[in-house]
Structures are given as C-alpha cells and as structure tokens.
Amino acid sequence: MNASSSPTINPLKEGLSNRPLPRPCNVVIFGASGDLTYRKLVPALYNLQVDGDLPATTNITGFARRPKSDETFRSELGEALGKFSRSGRADDIWNDFSSRVHYHQSEFSNGEGYRLLAEKLDKLDAASGTAGNRLFYLSVGPSEFEGILGKLAEYGLNKTRDGSWARVIVEKPFGHDRSSAHDLNEKVSHVFAEEDTYRIDHYLGKETAQNIMVLRFANSIFEPLWNHRYIDHIQITAAEPMGVEARGPYYESSGALRDMCQNHLTQILCLIAMEPPTDLSADSVRDEKLKVVRALRKYTPEQVAANVIRAQYAAGAVSGKEVPAYRSEDRVSPNSETETYVAFRAFVDNWRWDGVPFYVRVGKRMPKHGTEIAIYFKDTPGVLFNAQQAGLGPNVLVLRIQPDEGISLRIQSKRPGAQLAIEPVKMDFHYKTSFGKPSPEAYERLLLDAMAGDATLFARRDEVDAAWTFIDCIEDAWHKSQNPPAMASYPAGSWGPKEADDLLASDGRAWRRL
Ligand code: BG6
C-alpha cells in the first residue's frame, strides 16, 4: 500500500480533533540533568523545531541540582542530540534552538531557587513574547513531586494572568498503588486543575497507538467484526531484549506489572476495546477508555493464580551475548522477588467483549524487540475449505506498534496450480514505505499537545485510579495473600516461562511468534 498513490488526501486530516494550536511558552524541566532530558525531551523539542511545529519563541529552562552554566548544558545537550535525535543535528537549527535553552541550578526544596526562577521566566516572557505561558515537566522521582509542587504554588508559578496558562506534565510512575496514586492526585490537584495536569504515557504518543482509533473508526470494514461474535481472542505483546540496565533500584520497587501494565498496556487494551466516542474531544475519548478499564474483571487471589503468570529472567544469552540473571544485575537484591515478565488473561466484562480473552504479556530479556496487538478472528464454518481436521488457521490482524510499524492481515489464499491447496498469506502495510518518512517520536506529539492544551493522549485521573484497581488485585494476590502463586523463571533470551505457554494451551491456543 502506498499513501502517495491514493487519489485524494483527506483535507480534514490536520483538523480532525479541532485541536488548538500550540502556544509559545516557557518549558521548565525539573530534573534536567536526568537521562530523559538528554535522550527524549530535548531531542523531541528540537525535532519539533526541525519540522516547523515548535512555536517560534519557545524557551526551555532546565532546573536541576548540579551546578552548570548555560553553555555547558547546551553543549552536553548538543552532543546527546547527535546520538538521540531522529533527524540528527543540523548546526544552524541547533544554534537557533539552543540559544533559547537555559540552565537553572537549585535544590528542589530551596525557595530562593523558585523565586529566581519566577524572575527568570518573567524576563524571558518580556524578551520573547511567551506571554506568561508555562509548561512544567516533572522529570523527577515521585518523592520529589510534592516538594516541587508546593514550591511552585508558594512562588505563584502555577498562577495564570491575562489569558496565559500554566500546566504540569507528570512522568510515571504515577503512584505505586491505588492509594498512593490517589494521594499524589490530591497533591497535584491542590496546585494544578485537572485540565492543566498532563499525566504522560508515552505509548499514547506513538503514531501506531494513535492509529488504532483511526483503523477502527475511519474504516468501515473492521468495526462490524470488532466484537465477541467474530473475534476469538486478542494478544498484546511487549517484548524487550534489554534488561533493567542502570534502573535496578527503580525496577526493584516496580516490577513489570507496575512498570508496563498499569499504564502502557492497559492504555493499548483500552484503545482496542473501547466503544466509538461521540466526538474526538479529550474527555469523550477518555470517557470511553475509562469504561473499558472499569469493565476489566477484577480477580480474587485464586483467580490471579489461574490467570496471571509472573516470572523473572535467569542468566542466558540475548542475540548471542551472555547476560546475567536479573538477581545479579546492578543494585538488584540477590534474593529479589521482582517480576521481569508478566503474562495474563484478562476479560472486559461488557456486551461487546463477552467471553473474549485478552492475553497480555510483557517481558525484559526477550529474544526480540516488538510491541504488537494481534486480533484473532473466529474460524470459518467447518465445511468446504475448513473441513479438514487441522483447519485452515484463523484470520489474524496484527497491529505492529514497534518496530517496523504497520499493520498486517493474514488471509487464506489458493496456491496457484491445478490442485486445490490453500495457504495463508499476508496483506502488509508498513509506515516506512507507505509514508516515506520516519514517524515522529512519541514525546514530540505529547509535548506539542500539552502546549496546545489537548489532553486526549494523556491519562485522566479517574483512568489512572481505575487502572490501579485492576493492578492492585494482582499485586495483592502476589504480596499479601496467604498462598501467593510462585514466581516462574525463564532464561534470558527466551520467550518467557513455560507456565505462560501453558496458560494459553489450557484454552487450546498459543502465543504468536514475533
Ligand atoms: C518505560 C518503562 O515506561 O517504557 C521501561 O519504564 C520500558 O521499562 C519502556 O523499557 C518501553 O518503552 P518503549 O517506548 O521503548 O517501548
């Protein structure tokens, strides 16, 4: 398929959501010396400028504890850009962009640092016409949130004047369970209104995740089949060859379920399972996603044991390279009981999805990198072509979130020749070949949306709360019940534990090979 060969380009494509334009503002990144700033945030802002999407006078101020001059900060960022920017670095654009990047050294708890920040932002407003608009990005651990929010309020940085706005973007993890997420939400809500609070889930910013709604609701052929009458089951996989790298302490307190399932994979599941929203406004879309999370069946500890597998990687080899067991990773307890892999069978208990299992699996140290959703359709009737015992195999629609973003549909076809032989073939759409240019990074879209005041791709408070309710019943069964299900093990570089294969085998199904 090739987009350029389509006869008309939909003129509505840019205005589908009636999105307001992003406004020039001061972006302030708390925790600016962290990895995220260098690898994701600044490359994203820079690439927005390359594509002409960044409002021209946007300023970026990095707020962090380490002493550093503007020049040092700029040169470090410039170096990182060479590695992490999808478009590389063009010196003329970088010079213009980096002249609007500043560094602000302060402890997060030091009031004077915020007073000086307010002064600095006022000056930047006056010099560059950013009109008092502020976007605060909390790229810090959750233990810092409260202190920073308190100081922002104390120094009036959350206040708006003359039509300006002040918004906050909060990075995950958003709480550790429902109760801590509730406390955190309360704290944020004392400083920023819900409509000014942007809880980031970078999966929602991925082009392919955004395309799920387009595939379902901008095409007429899928939606009539998108229910329990035609769909047998759904598989959602997020596999990473990486281990925990330098994030041992964080991961020890999180584990795969909290790290990937409470947020990213629940969001993906919602996009697949939701009803069509009445319009594309942030709240209409999020209302529908919320209904899905609320309809997720909550398991008793016995049901958790039967429906959820947790596992940890042992030593093994990934891409031919020996790698250590999770318990031997840097700053990980040698007796750790943290899961690096989860597989579960979930049910969305509503009319559309009655009885359809959603199998979800996520793991570190898998043989391959790949996130995908596979929709398995029901078999054709057992007469004619599907009469043999082995059967033809189902139609499978695969939405590849990453890498090699695209969509494929497995269909049956007659092999050419005098004999009647049937073989599965694939109809395949690749973003790369159809659109001929790389997709923007998730953070580009999300930062731009926050500047535009469009929260559609950010998690709302009630969504986060409902997702924790689902996750908490699993965590509680693992950590608080009398008879917790055992932790399984898998060699690094394998597709997970045998128990996860058994989970599907008990339903007469198998995981898809990526
Ligand atoms: C992060 C998790 O949110 O998502 C990481 O904390 C994980 O553990 C990452 O590796 C995966 O993101 P992506 O975009 O590489 O699939």
Side-chain angles (χ1 to χ4, degrees), residues 418-463:
Q419 300 295 325
L420 179 57
I422 296 178
E423 247 183 53
V425 293
K426 256 202 309 192
M427 292 167 76
D428 215 347
F429 146 64
H430 295 259
Y431 273 76
K432 240 181 260 148
T433 45
S434 291
F435 294 108
K437 60 174 193 174
S439 298
E441 287 263 338
Y443 279 94
E444 295 174 36
R445 172 64 195 263
L446 295 174
L447 284 163
L448 205 60
D449 281 5
M451 289 181 207
D454 182 350
T456 313
L457 301 178
F458 293 82
R460 205 169 56 189
R461 179 173 178 162
D462 44 10
E463 281 182 83

Side-chain angles (χ1 to χ4, degrees), residues 369-441:
H369 180 214
T371 305
E372 64 157 51
I373 303 142
I375 319 277
Y376 282 70
F377 289 89
K378 290 194 168 163
D379 286 338
T380 52
V383 292
L384 305 182
F385 303 120
N386 204 16
Q388 294 116 356
Q389 220 184 357
L392 286 175
N395 295 124
V396 184
L397 179 69
V398 178
L399 284 61
R400 293 187 303 274
I401 302 291
Q402 62 189 16
D404 186 20
E405 292 87 348
I407 297 173
S408 71
L409 178 62
R410 179 184 192 267
I411 55 172
Q412 303 297 340
S413 184
K414 179 183 173 305
R415 192 190 305 146
Q419 300 295 325
L420 179 57
I422 296 178
E423 247 183 53
V425 293
K426 256 202 309 192
M427 292 167 76
D428 215 347
F429 146 64
H430 295 259
Y431 273 76
K432 240 181 260 148
T433 45
S434 291
F435 294 108
K437 60 174 193 174
S439 298
E441 287 263 338

Side-chain angles (χ1 to χ4, degrees), residues 201-438:
D201 185 315
H202 77 279
Y203 266 57
L204 290 178
K206 292 182 191 278
E207 279 292 329
T208 36
Q210 293 168 49
N211 197 36
I212 297 174
M213 268 178 64
V214 175
L215 175 87
R216 291 187 54 196
F217 306 133
N219 294 294
S220 60
I221 59 171
F222 300 112
E223 205 43 32
L225 307 180
W226 212 262
N227 56 55
H228 67 96
R229 280 185 287 279
Y230 297 98
I231 292 180
D232 178 70
H233 73 279
I234 291 175
Q235 296 188 15
I236 302 177
T237 300
E240 290 180 287
M242 264 182 4
V244 289
E245 315 286 295
R247 299 164 76 220
Y250 155 73
Y251 206 81
E252 278 285 87
S253 68
S254 161
L257 188 68
R258 289 193 179 97
D259 185 48
M260 291 289 290
C261 300
Q262 187 274 338
N263 34 60
H264 310 323
L265 298 186
T266 304
Q267 289 288 347
I268 295 281
L269 189 152
C270 286
L271 291 169
I272 292 292
M274 69 194 263
E275 296 300 316
T278 46
D279 56 48
L280 291 168
S281 69
D283 275 334
S284 298
V285 172
R286 296 187 298 177
D287 284 346
E288 294 307 331
K289 286 196 292 157
L290 175 64
K291 288 184 202 161
V292 176
V293 202
R294 287 196 171 145
L296 279 172
R297 191 177 298 171
K298 313 297 174 302
Y299 289 139
T300 61
E302 295 69 39
Q303 290 171 325
V304 168
N307 289 285
V308 187
I309 306 297
R310 57 175 171 153
Q312 195 184 71
Y313 61 81
V318 179
S319 309
K321 196 172 155 254
E322 301 283 311
V323 294
Y326 174 70
R327 289 180 180 181
S328 309
E329 298 276 16
D330 179 30
R331 288 171 296 158
V332 166
S333 158
N335 308 314
S336 174
E337 284 291 312
T338 301
E339 79 287 355
T340 58
Y341 174 100
V342 185
F344 62 83
R345 172 172 44 211
F347 291 94
V348 178
D349 284 331
N350 64 13
W351 188 278
R352 184 190 283 260
W353 296 112
D354 181 44
V356 178
F358 286 70
Y359 300 104
V360 177
R361 65 179 160 162
V362 53
K364 298 234 180 252
R365 289 292 190 220
M366 302 271 104
K368 246 176 123 174
H369 180 214
T371 305
E372 64 157 51
I373 303 142
I375 319 277
Y376 282 70
F377 289 89
K378 290 194 168 163
D379 286 338
T380 52
V383 292
L384 305 182
F385 303 120
N386 204 16
Q388 294 116 356
Q389 220 184 357
L392 286 175
N395 295 124
V396 184
L397 179 69
V398 178
L399 284 61
R400 293 187 303 274
I401 302 291
Q402 62 189 16
D404 186 20
E405 292 87 348
I407 297 173
S408 71
L409 178 62
R410 179 184 192 267
I411 55 172
Q412 303 297 340
S413 184
K414 179 183 173 305
R415 192 190 305 146
Q419 300 295 325
L420 179 57
I422 296 178
E423 247 183 53
V425 293
K426 256 202 309 192
M427 292 167 76
D428 215 347
F429 146 64
H430 295 259
Y431 273 76
K432 240 181 260 148
T433 45
S434 291
F435 294 108
K437 60 174 193 174

